[in-house]
Amino acid sequence: MPHSTNKELILGIVVGTTGISLLLLWYHKVRNPRTAMNLPKFLSLGDAFDSVTLQDEMHNGQGTATIFQGRQLQILEKLNELLTNMEELKEEIRILKETVPKLEEYVHGELGRKTTAHRISPQHRARKRRLATAQSSGTSNSSEEAESEGGYITANTDTEEQSFPVLQALNTHTEELTLDVLLQKADHLRRNESSKMESFELLCDHKEKFRDEIEFIWRFARAYGDMCELSTNEQEKKHYANIGKTLGEKAVTRAPMNGHCHLWYAVLCGHVSEFEGLQNKINYAHCFKEHLDKAIQLLPEEPFLYYLKGRYCYTVSKLSWIEKKMAATLFGKIPSSTVQEALQNFLKVEDLYPGFSKCNYMFLAKCSVDLKQTEDAAKFCNLAMLLPCVTREDKDAEDEVKRISATLKS
């Protein structure tokens, strides 16, 4: 099985790398009898990660320590890759077990089906709708190329796999709006999940006129984040995230004292990190935290910021040893947080905006369970179930709340 072979190969590489590193250390110790490595200190998960050193080093000990640190990082990367592949394999096996019993029914259905229904992505639906508007007004547009928001040229076809956002306004009779009216209209549309795409299109139609306005730029970055969440195609999601991050970075650079710029740049960094390896994920997490803290300083009454801070604290509190060690190697210290700190941030959200979201109640329940506060956990689960499911994230949160509730009753 290909996955099994890859796992064995990775494990072999890890073991081999470890053996070479130990051999180098043994050889160095033979040549320098007075040099010794303090293993308990090296393996500690505390502040010892800040400076992994070899005790009683001789004149040539510096080089060995550097070599060993490099080997150490390689081993951690391989171990993380191994763990990731094992999790993927478990998931594939689970899906396979669920799929096999339904295989016969699926095959019969496919053989009897004359046409195949394709899922259409949000941006593809948007493009179809905008094309229809343009055609009804007698406007002829080329389907060969369209300029993207980020300045790219992409081919526009009728297939989801090849199409990306249409950055050129297809409706040449776009209503002329002032900046204030445009921003108010875009914000109003965005309040409804089903209208976020329309809000994105509205901003696309006015990007040339207001592309240098800070209030427009950060909203445009936010809209790209919305499209990233709405999209069902991984390449599209990555495309939206990268353009949104570029816009967010531009906004932060030009308006460093605007809290909304820092907020949405942090969010876009989070979206981009979903498509990166472990090292870049850690880099983006560091960037996310930096800009989130800055946004909180500038917008201390914004509940969404404390929700994001709570999510960050909860995630960090659950980091594996390997992830913490990688972060220590890259930044010189281990990112630290606790479930209690996460809980305080989620409670701050509830204080500023009671009933803020189903997801906030879900995380309040999870923190309470971790802290053995079962009565509070049950209370937050009940509050979560009272709120409607508006977004896809709300549906996932409701499923998790039901699972927590069942656990509390058992």
Side-chain angles (χ1 to χ4, degrees):
M1 189 175 180
H3 284 288
S4 178
T5 304
N6 291 336
K7 308 284 181 302
E8 294 173 359
L9 177 59
I10 292 171
L11 184 59
I13 293 173
V14 171
V15 174
T17 306
T18 306
I20 292 172
S21 300
L22 293 176
L23 181 60
L24 286 171
L25 291 171
W26 174 82
Y27 177 70
H28 179 71
K29 186 175 179 181
V30 170
R31 292 190 60 188
N32 301 276
R34 291 176 58 189
T35 303
M37 183 175 68
N38 188 346
L39 286 178
K41 181 177 180 181
F42 169 70
L43 294 175
S44 170
L45 292 179
D47 294 335
F49 282 148
D50 292 342
S51 55
V52 180
T53 59
L54 297 178
Q55 295 184 345
D56 303 324
E57 289 179 324
M58 297 298 289
H59 296 294
N60 295 328
Q62 196 81 13
T64 303
T66 302
I67 293 174
F68 182 71
Q69 189 175 10
R71 296 287 187 185
Q72 178 189 354
L73 181 57
Q74 292 176 4
I75 292 172
L76 290 174
E77 290 175 340
K78 293 298 182 182
L79 284 173
N80 180 75
E81 185 178 352
L82 175 62
L83 291 174
T84 301
N85 288 336
M86 289 179 65
E87 289 299 320
E88 291 176 354
L89 180 60
K90 287 181 181 179
E91 181 65 15
E92 289 176 5
I93 292 175
R94 184 188 66 78
I95 294 175
L96 186 61
K97 286 181 179 179
E98 295 177 354
T99 304
V100 169
K102 302 176 182 179
L103 184 59
E104 183 178 356
E105 179 183 349
Y106 173 77
V107 171
H108 283 301
E110 285 298 305
L111 292 176
R113 188 177 302 170
K114 295 182 179 180
T115 59
T116 302
H118 295 280
R119 178 184 294 178
I120 301 177
S121 66
Q123 69 85 20
H124 190 63
R125 289 195 298 270
R127 178 174 179 271
K128 286 285 189 180
R129 187 163 60 251
R130 289 157 63 86
L131 277 171
T133 302
Q135 290 171 354
S136 65
S137 63
T139 303
S140 175
N141 295 278
S142 171
S143 62
E144 296 298 325
E145 293 182 340
E147 180 188 0
S148 75
E149 259 70 28
Y152 304 109
I153 299 297
T154 56
N156 290 325
T157 69
D158 287 337
T159 61
E160 176 181 352
E161 291 76 15
Q162 297 179 9
S163 62
F164 279 115
V166 177
L167 304 166
Q168 193 173 16
L170 294 179
N171 186 358
T172 57
H173 299 288
T174 300
E175 180 184 0
E176 288 294 329
L177 302 174
T178 64
L179 179 61
D180 289 341
V181 173
L182 171 66
L183 299 183
Q184 290 176 12
K185 190 172 182 180
D187 289 345
H188 178 74
L189 287 170
R190 189 179 178 274
R191 292 174 187 171
N192 191 327
E193 186 73 9
S194 62
S195 301
K196 285 185 176 180
M197 192 189 309
E198 188 177 348
S199 177
F200 172 75
E201 293 175 8
L202 179 65
L203 294 173
C204 284
D205 288 338
H206 293 82
K207 73 182 184 68
E208 292 299 332
K209 184 177 180 180
F210 300 115
R211 64 189 313 160
D212 293 325
E213 299 289 342
I214 292 299
E215 292 299 311
F216 177 86
I217 296 173
W218 71 255
R219 283 177 172 81
F220 207 11
R222 180 184 67 181
Y224 268 99
D226 292 339
M227 294 302 292
C228 177
E229 293 176 355
L230 290 172
S231 178
T232 58
N233 180 280
E234 185 173 349
Q235 287 301 315
E236 287 179 3
K237 291 174 76 72
K238 184 176 181 180
H239 180 78
Y240 287 128
N242 283 325
I243 294 181
K245 174 182 167 293
T246 300
L247 288 168
E249 187 172 11
K250 177 182 178 182
V252 167
T253 301
R254 298 185 59 178
M257 299 306 294
N258 187 312
H260 292 99
C261 295
H262 288 280
L263 163 59
W264 294 107
Y265 180 55
V267 170
L268 267 301
C269 283
H271 285 314
V272 172
S273 71
E274 297 176 10
F275 308 99
E276 299 292 337
L278 178 59
Q279 182 169 335
N280 283 338
K281 280 183 184 294
I282 294 174
N283 285 329
Y284 278 119
H286 181 76
C287 183
F288 174 89
K289 177 64 162 49
E290 177 185 351
H291 288 277
L292 186 62
D293 287 344
K294 184 65 175 178
I296 289 175
Q297 292 177 15
L298 298 169
L299 300 170
E301 301 300 315
E302 173 55 59
F304 184 48
L305 288 169
Y306 296 98
Y307 170 72
L308 293 176
K309 182 72 175 290
R311 291 283 299 266
Y312 172 85
C313 292
Y314 189 82
T315 300
V316 170
S317 72
K318 301 295 182 179
L319 284 179
S320 67
W321 176 84
I322 290 178
E323 291 168 325
K324 289 182 178 179
K325 188 65 181 76
M326 281 287 292
T329 303
L330 291 172
F331 298 110
K333 64 178 182 179
I334 302 175
S336 62
S337 190
T338 63
V339 174
Q340 183 64 44
E341 187 177 355
L343 177 64
Q344 293 305 313
N345 280 283
F346 293 128
L347 288 173
K348 178 70 172 178
V349 175
E350 183 66 6
D351 181 54
L352 290 172
Y353 194 127
F356 176 75
S357 72
K358 188 182 288 284
C359 291
N360 194 62
Y361 281 135
M362 182 266 289
F363 276 105
L364 281 167
K366 288 170 73 73
C367 290
S368 298
V369 169
D370 290 345
L371 296 172
K372 311 299 182 184
Q373 301 170 357
T374 54
E375 291 186 5
D376 286 342
K379 178 185 73 175
F380 291 130
C381 284
N382 291 333
L383 289 171
M385 296 305 295
L386 294 176
L387 296 180
C389 284
V390 178
T391 66
R392 194 162 46 194
E393 190 178 33
D394 287 340
K395 181 62 173 65
D396 294 338
E398 183 168 289
D399 292 340
E400 180 64 14
V401 166
K402 290 178 179 178
R403 186 194 67 79
I404 295 172
S405 297
T407 302
L408 292 173
K409 292 176 183 178
S410 61

